[in-house]
Amino acid sequence: MKKQRAAEAAQGGATDDRSLTRENVLAFLAEHGAEAGKRDLVKHFRLKGAERIKLKRLLKEIESEGLIEKRRGRFHQPGHMPSVMLCDITGRDEDGELIAEPVEWDEEHGEAPRIVVAMPAKARPGEPVPGVGDRVLLRIDDKGEGEDSHTGRVIRLIAKKPRQTLGILRVMQDGTARLVPVDKKAQGRELFISKDHIRNATDGDLVAVTVLREGRFARPSARVTERLGSLTSERTISMVAIHAHGLPHIFPDTVLKEAESATPATMRDREDWRDLPLVTIDPADAKDHDDAVHARPDDDPKNKDGHIVTVAIADVAAYVRAGTALDREALIRGNSVYFPDRVVPMLPERLSNDLCSLRPDGDRPALAVRMTLDAHGRKLRHSFHRIMMRSHGKLAYEQAQSAIDGRPDETTGPLLAPVLQPLWRAYETAKKARDQRQPLDLDLPERKLVLKKDGTIDRVIVPQRLEAHRLIEEFMILANVAAAETLERAGMPLIYRVHDEPSLEKMRALGEVLASIGMKLPRTGALKPELFNDILAQVKGTGNAPLVNEIVLRSQAQAEYAAENYGHFGLNLRRYAHFTSPIRRYADLIVHRGLLTTLGAREDGLPKDAPRAQLAEIAASISAAERRAAAAERETVDRLIAHFLADRIGATFEGRIGGVTRAGLFVKLDDTGADGFVPASTLGADFYAYDEQRHALVGRRTGESYRLGDAVTVKLVEAQPVAGALRFEMISEGRRGVALPAGKKRITSAKAETRRPQRARRHGPT
């Protein structure tokens, strides 16, 4: 219907001239579709000055009417799909064609579209063939308005459907066994394993099985194919996520041989910066060090109180060249994955912890950017250099901060005056520009699991946020901006780190929550991070601060990689690219290759005519890998904490309501950050209805309510370490209120609704 309205509106009065009218704008967008952005409109209508403001206001009006939507800096008809999408193959149609659906789809646009997967007439030798259950990267082709109005060509097979199922083996008295799946979605669906198929596994082991028989009338059975260990070991718990998400964690022999045969880089075509006292500042337990920093006052009299800041990054491109086995494996992995007890690296240890790691007192190749800042922290100019460096100190964040605070040790003492103090003075200058830019400033403390020597959890802490953290973060952001600017100026293709502004729908939802606590969302002015920062400042230090920070986070889009630039909303930057972590992120390696091309290093560089379509495919692939890694890391923490709390059944905890659904409440504990669920059926003696506008469950008879962000006391009644699930009982009384009007929906089947509660997806700018 919205598409029809947009077409009718466009046809109603479109003219051949280029005057800025509603009809002409709609006609242009209808003709150019997903290719049209604001810059295209400005160029087409030849707009200047105040006319651009008029265009912005006009686009907002059209968007608010639902005729168009803005996504990734482009204007689409509602429900329009991008040209490249990550999809799951869900089945076949009547003709036997594979059917796929987008992995992510906004339900406000209706049901997810069905995409017919166009298969080549003949597969290339050795190329994996996708099937039902596989995850693929598709190039989308719009066909029209039919039932299957989209076709997709397979660009890359991201993950094959797992041939194995993971679970905990439970051996019965008669010697047979059953498998308890680790997947939350498969809870309650057990598999039978005969004596002959148990192999060397024992009761309580984590095992991988192959399903032998599964049907409507046959008993589901399986065969143990691999014993992964006992669930009493934390290392086994992280293996659950590795296997469940199909994370590639074993390097092929060809990749390892390439890495082992690598020889240290030489001084050829490099500047000698080994005397410059660059230092690395990282977490205390870091094993790879890919960035080093240095700063000094600018001696140019024209730049009084300015500074020269240098950021040197490991030259990974010198060892990982395009098209090699190392490069192909790095692209498949996309990034390193960090668990509390282990790291699944993007590159083999020979590179990540040795040749590429900027260890102290050893020569290491690097790509450095030298930036000149003025007295107000603004970057005046910058230049990139391919260098040979030698780190003059490996420091931890806490160690560097202690030295600045007047407590230097044997390592930081000699570095304090010549290295650390100039770094902090340059940072104080850079902060001025940062504060003026006003990036999104959320206050959401991150928790860290501290393990004992035997691998079990000792405690959960909230690490202090130090100025040393902020210093490194700000210098890395400056370097990333410089990389994007240099590549754009040189006309080089690149992969941007982008973050779209919040959608109108999410802004409306935010306004409703703010209204429920007596706050108003400004309705005028441009949408900028400053608006959210003002809201956060109003609630800072109050009881509503956790709620508002959480809601603001949920209102944000998800940061991702893209070959087209639409800016980074959260950082409030027009152009941004990841450059500073090529050891652990493939996107940074692409940016390094582009920069090397600008410096004349063609052998290690990126072709200047590299197809943007190919970069778009890479961007979509590594964005998917990033989401996969985040899910694996999050689920592992959930399982570890559930394991940690399993012997505290009956204990009470303080927490806050972090999610509200019709099925019940999600509660986040204050001390551990653990998430647990309170079924609606267990709340008091009333029937509770879901009030979407207030994000609350409200008693139909009493009006008692439990709202998002409320501080509550709960009792732990069940812990499932295998699934990483906790179930609580509410101890606190709800807010007093008035009974709901008769029109509100009453929850009459709470037991059915609490079987598979869905946790709200968390997005945020990174």
Side-chain angles (χ1 to χ4, degrees):
M1 180 62 70
K2 288 182 179 179
K3 289 184 179 181
Q4 183 179 352
R5 287 170 54 203
E8 291 174 352
Q11 294 172 3
T15 61
D16 293 332
D17 65 16
R18 297 197 178 189
S19 58
L20 184 59
T21 66
R22 170 192 175 89
E23 291 74 21
N24 286 347
V25 168
L26 282 169
F28 180 85
L29 295 178
E31 179 181 355
H32 294 84
E35 301 302 318
K38 187 177 177 182
R39 291 183 182 178
D40 301 297
L41 288 162
V42 169
K43 183 178 180 180
H44 175 77
F45 290 104
R46 304 188 184 105
L47 304 181
K48 296 181 180 180
E51 291 179 316
R52 297 191 180 192
I53 299 175
K54 180 182 177 182
L55 171 65
K56 187 172 184 178
R57 185 165 56 248
L58 189 58
L59 289 171
K60 284 288 184 183
E61 291 175 0
I62 299 173
E63 186 181 3
S64 66
E65 294 174 17
L67 299 180
I68 61 170
E69 63 180 22
K70 184 180 179 183
R71 187 170 68 245
R72 300 181 177 180
R74 302 286 174 176
F75 295 99
H76 307 260
Q77 290 182 338
H80 181 90
M81 294 191 296
S83 58
V84 177
M85 290 196 76
L86 189 67
C87 299
D88 286 331
I89 299 178
T90 57
R92 294 182 182 272
D93 62 12
E94 295 178 355
D95 298 324
E97 299 281 358
L98 292 173
I99 299 297
E101 292 184 358
V103 172
E104 294 183 359
W105 184 259
D106 289 336
E107 293 182 357
E108 61 192 72
H109 299 319
E111 294 185 4
R114 296 171 73 242
I115 305 165
V116 177
V117 181
M119 300 294 293
K122 185 177 180 181
R124 288 177 290 184
E127 183 178 358
V129 179
V132 177
D134 292 345
R135 178 162 291 186
V136 292
L137 195 65
L138 296 180
R139 180 169 296 283
I140 305 300
D141 174 35
D142 291 336
K143 289 172 56 179
E145 294 294 332
E147 180 183 354
D148 294 318
S149 59
H150 305 281
T151 59
R153 178 179 60 82
V154 177
I155 298 171
R156 184 176 295 111
L157 180 61
I158 300 297
K160 292 288 291 180
K161 179 182 180 180
R163 296 179 180 176
Q164 297 180 323
T165 297
L166 298 184
I168 304 301
L169 194 72
R170 297 302 181 195
V171 179
M172 313 303 288
Q173 291 184 352
D174 62 359
T176 62
R178 57 190 176 89
L179 185 83
V180 181
V182 299
D183 187 355
K184 289 182 181 180
K185 295 180 180 179
Q187 290 295 304
R189 175 181 166 275
E190 298 181 348
L191 297 172
F192 171 78
I193 303 173
S194 68
K195 296 179 183 179
D196 297 335
H197 291 153
I198 294 178
R199 299 182 66 179
N200 62 338
T202 59
D203 185 67
D205 282 350
L206 173 68
V207 295
V209 303
T210 297
V211 177
L212 299 177
R213 184 172 54 187
E214 191 173 22
R216 184 173 180 181
F217 301 106
R219 179 169 58 171
S221 60
R223 177 181 65 242
V224 173
T225 56
E226 185 179 3
R227 178 184 178 273
L228 301 174
S230 172
L231 205 63
T232 58
S233 165
E234 262 68 5
R235 290 188 63 83
T236 304
I237 292 179
S238 60
M239 283 300 295
V240 173
I242 289 173
H243 284 274
H245 289 275
L247 293 174
H249 64 290
I250 299 175
F251 286 104
D253 290 340
T254 54
V255 175
L256 292 175
K257 287 179 182 178
E258 265 191 23
E260 292 300 325
S261 64
T263 57
T266 66
M267 283 296 301
R268 179 186 173 189
D269 298 326
R270 296 183 185 277
E271 300 176 41
D272 190 348
W273 286 22
R274 288 175 290 185
D275 290 336
L276 186 69
L278 289 153
V279 297
T280 61
I281 305 177
D282 293 294
D285 56 356
K287 293 183 179 179
D288 55 75
H289 310 277
D290 48 14
D291 57 87
V293 292
H294 176 267
R296 64 173 176 82
D298 189 1
D299 54 13
D300 185 349
K302 297 180 180 179
N303 188 27
K304 184 180 179 182
D305 297 327
H307 291 83
I308 306 294
V309 174
T310 299
V311 174
I313 306 299
D315 189 358
V316 176
Y319 299 103
V320 183
R321 292 191 170 94
T324 61
L326 274 168
D327 180 55
R328 291 192 296 271
E329 182 68 14
L331 175 56
I332 291 172
R333 296 184 176 222
N335 47 252
S336 297
V337 188
Y338 294 86
F339 298 108
D341 66 313
R342 73 174 79 201
V343 176
V344 179
M346 185 180 78
L347 301 173
E349 190 171 338
R350 166 67 170 158
L351 298 180
S352 61
N353 292 353
D354 185 7
L355 292 179
C356 295
S357 187
L358 304 183
R359 294 176 174 180
D361 304 321
D363 293 353
R364 290 291 184 272
L367 189 57
V369 56
R370 180 171 281 166
M371 299 172 286
T372 302
L373 309 183
D374 67 12
H376 301 286
R378 295 176 298 224
K379 182 168 64 66
L380 301 178
R381 54 190 171 273
H382 68 267
S383 58
F384 280 88
H385 308 261
R386 201 176 199 190
I387 67 169
M388 185 68 74
M389 60 160 285
R390 178 174 294 181
S391 173
H392 287 237
K394 183 182 77 170
L395 308 180
Y397 286 115
E398 295 80 5
Q399 190 180 17
Q401 189 67 56
S402 292
I404 288 295
D405 293 341
R407 300 184 302 277
D409 57 24
E410 293 181 358
T411 302
T412 56
L415 298 172
L416 182 58
V419 177
L420 294 179
Q421 288 178 346
L423 274 171
W424 253 258
R425 285 193 289 268
Y427 168 60
E428 290 298 324
T429 299
K431 273 202 307 186
K432 298 177 183 178
R434 181 190 186 279
D435 293 343
Q436 186 175 12
R437 191 177 84 240
Q438 283 224 33
L440 185 61
D441 189 17
L442 289 166
D443 182 17
L444 293 166
E446 295 185 7
R447 288 167 174 80
K448 180 179 180 180
L449 305 186
V450 179
L451 305 183
K452 300 177 183 177
K453 291 183 179 180
D454 62 0
T456 60
I457 296 181
D458 181 24
R459 63 191 186 280
V460 182
I461 63 173
V462 179
Q464 185 182 1
R465 178 76 168 160
L466 304 172
E467 283 295 289
H469 292 103
R470 296 185 176 93
L471 179 149
I472 294 299
E473 181 181 275
E474 191 58 31
F475 287 166
M476 296 305 114
I477 289 174
L478 287 172
N480 288 336
V481 171
E485 290 176 348
T486 295
L487 292 175
E488 277 195 355
R489 193 179 304 128
M492 282 294 301
L494 72 148
I495 290 179
Y496 294 90
R497 182 62 170 177
V498 289
H499 178 229
D500 212 350
E501 64 182 32
S503 66
L504 285 176
E505 188 66 28
K506 290 185 177 180
M507 290 301 294
R508 292 191 190 102
L510 174 62
E512 290 172 356
V513 175
L514 293 178
S516 72
I517 59 174
M519 296 179 64
K520 288 185 178 181
L521 181 66
R523 296 183 179 275
T524 59
L527 189 59
K528 294 181 178 180
E530 181 180 353
L531 179 147
F532 297 100
N533 290 339
D534 289 343
I535 293 170
L536 296 171
Q538 293 179 48
V539 299
K540 188 174 183 179
T542 70
N544 287 323
L547 165 67
V548 175
N549 274 270
E550 185 73 27
I551 291 296
V552 168
L553 172 66
R554 294 184 185 186
S555 71
Q556 303 303 305
Q558 187 173 28
E560 60 182 352
Y561 296 105
E564 297 292 334
N565 182 31
Y566 55 88
H568 199 295
F569 179 81
L571 294 176
N572 201 10
L573 293 168
R574 294 182 61 185
R575 56 188 61 83
Y576 189 67
H578 274 168
F579 155 73
T580 55
S581 296
I583 290 178
R584 62 184 180 91
R585 294 187 306 223
Y586 193 82
D588 304 56
L589 182 55
I590 294 292
V591 170
H592 272 237
R593 288 171 178 164
L595 291 168
L596 289 174
T597 297
T598 67
L599 295 175
R602 296 183 179 179
E603 185 179 0
D604 301 335
L606 183 74
K608 196 167 185 178
D609 58 350
R612 293 189 181 273
Q614 181 183 11
L615 290 184
E617 295 171 8
I618 292 174
S621 177
I622 59 181
S623 293
E626 179 184 44
R627 291 191 289 271
R628 177 184 64 185
E633 292 168 354
R634 182 176 61 252
E635 289 174 12
T636 298
V637 170
D638 287 345
R639 290 188 175 102
L640 285 168
I641 293 181
H643 188 275
F644 179 57
L645 296 177
D647 60 352
R648 300 187 65 184
I649 302 297
T652 58
F653 301 90
E654 302 300 316
R656 287 188 178 272
I657 297 175
V660 182
T661 70
R662 288 182 174 84
L665 307 169
F666 288 100
V667 175
K668 181 181 287 291
L669 303 186
D670 292 339
D671 54 352
T672 63
D675 286 305
F677 189 66
V678 180
S681 58
T682 66
L683 289 175
D686 204 346
F687 290 98
Y688 285 80
Y690 176 50
D691 188 328
E692 186 175 2
Q693 184 173 350
R694 294 165 58 191
H695 288 258
L697 285 180
V698 184
R700 182 175 178 81
R701 176 175 51 82
T702 63
E704 182 186 45
S705 67
Y706 294 92
R707 190 185 66 182
L708 184 70
D710 283 353
V712 294
T713 302
V714 294
K715 180 171 72 174
L716 179 62
V717 295
E718 184 182 2
Q720 296 181 3
V722 175
L726 301 172
R727 185 164 63 85
F728 297 131
E729 178 184 311
M730 184 64 68
I731 302 298
S732 301
E733 293 183 357
R735 295 168 177 259
R736 294 184 178 180
V738 296
L740 284 175
K744 288 290 183 179
K745 181 181 178 182
R746 170 175 146 178
I747 297 179
T748 57
S749 183
K751 290 184 179 179
E753 294 189 31
T754 56
R755 288 175 185 169
R756 291 182 185 176
Q758 297 295 316
R759 184 177 306 180
R761 187 172 64 189
R762 296 165 62 90
H763 290 170
T766 56

